[in-house]
Amino acid sequence: MRRISLILSAFLLFVLPVASSPAGAEDAIDVAMDDFSYTDTSAEPANQTAAHERRLSAFMAALRRDISADGRYRPVPSAQDGAAFKVIGGIQKTSTLVQWAKVAVIDVGAKKLVMDKLYTFRGDNDESWERAEIFVSREVMAALATPAPVALAVFDFELEDTTAASAGTSAASDASYLAEVTGSVREALGQSGRYRIVDAGGEAVKARALRDCGGCEAAIAQKLGADQSLIGVVRRVSRTEYTLGFQVRDARTGAVLSRGDSGLRMGADYSWKRGAVRLVSDKLIGSQ
């Protein structure tokens, strides 16, 4: 099992190419898939290599047939460029009656695993292999149908300070807390599986207050290769009161897709991070 995991990790790091654009919107989606690897560590005295090769060949043929039957997908060899997904896996026999299957589905364009599971199945005969294939094919099809994550440019959160406090003594700590807010929001959105976070750094972004630029962040996000943009603001009402807000735009049209406001919250600057993560979790991730 460890050997299979290492093979999958090496594949992701060194072999995974970037998918090219599909030829047409109505074409079936190419799914790259080679035969799974097979390892027998059961130490059984009988040599079952021929039987295992036959069963693995039948397993892969059935898996490709099940994927093709859907109509939306077309299995192709991994050497063929342009596949939107890759399916990789390996099967290991560990004892007379126990086998393990490690299967991963990769969204090539997003360079993201949409499925990475380890299964166990009992038996080493035609019937047990057929049952395993039926189960694995359902899991793979479910993973292929999972929507691709949205490329989201999350810009640095900005501070709107309405207090009379001097900025000279707090600018450094404010910047530190804002960085924590931005980092935590990016992490929460990325971990949700709905978004692929696009790096939104650069002097062109930092040179202006995005909350007052009339939606200019959308055009910046489009240049960065993102589908959507998100800007956020911490509004400090007092040293122990603040509000949070965010706005998401379509990078191509600039249309506002979502917005959220926390209302007045109690807490000092160290609580901004917690409040921001709660806001995007409730109003953006949870709403979908």
Side-chain angles (χ1 to χ4, degrees):
M1 288 174 286
R2 177 177 174 81
R3 179 178 177 181
I4 294 173
S5 297
L6 290 174
I7 291 172
L8 294 181
S9 298
F11 184 91
L12 284 169
L13 287 172
F14 302 113
V15 182
L16 187 61
V18 176
S20 60
S21 299
E26 296 181 359
D27 291 347
I29 298 171
D30 285 348
V31 179
M33 179 169 51
D34 293 333
D35 286 352
F36 291 179
S37 64
Y38 189 84
T39 306
D40 187 349
T41 57
S42 65
E44 292 179 296
N47 187 337
Q48 301 182 73
T49 301
H52 289 152
E53 289 177 350
R54 176 178 59 80
R55 288 170 182 151
L56 179 61
S57 178
F59 179 99
M60 297 307 303
L63 183 58
R64 293 185 178 98
R65 183 174 62 249
D66 289 346
I67 292 174
S68 298
D70 181 273
R72 293 175 296 174
Y73 309 106
R74 177 176 52 237
V76 298
S78 66
Q80 180 171 320
D81 294 334
F85 294 93
K86 284 185 180 290
V87 179
I88 56 176
I91 300 174
Q92 181 176 359
K93 183 175 182 179
T94 56
S95 69
T96 302
L97 293 177
V98 178
Q99 302 198 77
W100 295 84
K102 177 76 168 178
V103 185
V105 179
I106 307 157
D107 183 324
V108 178
K111 296 184 179 180
K112 179 183 179 66
L113 281 169
V114 294
M115 172 183 147
D116 183 15
K117 294 187 177 181
L118 182 65
Y119 307 97
T120 182
F121 62 99
R122 296 183 62 81
D124 186 11
N125 54 34
D126 292 351
E127 183 180 359
S128 63
W129 278 75
E130 288 172 5
R131 288 198 305 267
E133 186 281 327
I134 292 171
F135 184 82
V136 169
S137 68
R138 285 201 298 259
E139 295 278 285
V140 169
M141 292 299 296
L144 292 174
T146 301
V150 175
L152 178 66
V154 180
F155 294 95
D156 291 344
F157 270 64
E158 299 174 350
L159 176 63
E160 184 178 321
D161 193 347
T162 61
T163 69
S166 171
T169 60
S170 59
S173 63
D174 287 346
S176 177
Y177 286 121
L178 285 173
E180 289 184 2
V181 170
T182 304
S184 297
V185 167
R186 286 172 177 160
E187 182 179 7
L189 291 169
Q191 288 181 349
S192 72
R194 300 180 185 276
Y195 299 99
R196 174 171 59 88
I197 305 305
V198 175
D199 182 10
E203 294 304 318
V205 176
K206 297 176 182 177
R208 69 186 95 181
L210 295 180
R211 65 183 184 274
D212 297 324
C213 74
C216 69
E217 72 275 7
I220 299 173
Q222 186 177 33
K223 290 180 181 179
L224 294 173
D227 301 316
Q228 298 175 9
S229 65
L230 182 148
I231 59 171
V233 181
V234 179
R235 300 180 184 87
R236 182 158 54 198
V237 180
S238 71
R239 284 298 167 181
T240 57
E241 295 176 312
Y242 67 96
T243 68
L244 292 158
F246 74 83
Q247 186 166 264
V248 176
R249 290 182 184 270
D250 183 286
R252 184 176 61 85
T253 66
V256 175
L257 302 177
S258 179
R259 56 165 54 96
D261 196 295
S262 68
L264 187 64
R265 294 181 63 91
M266 303 298 294
D269 42 17
Y270 55 77
S271 68
W272 295 349
K273 175 178 69 175
R274 183 173 65 252
V277 171
R278 178 65 179 273
L279 178 64
V280 297
S281 296
D282 290 348
K283 301 295 186 180
L284 189 55
I285 299 173
S287 67
Q288 299 175 359

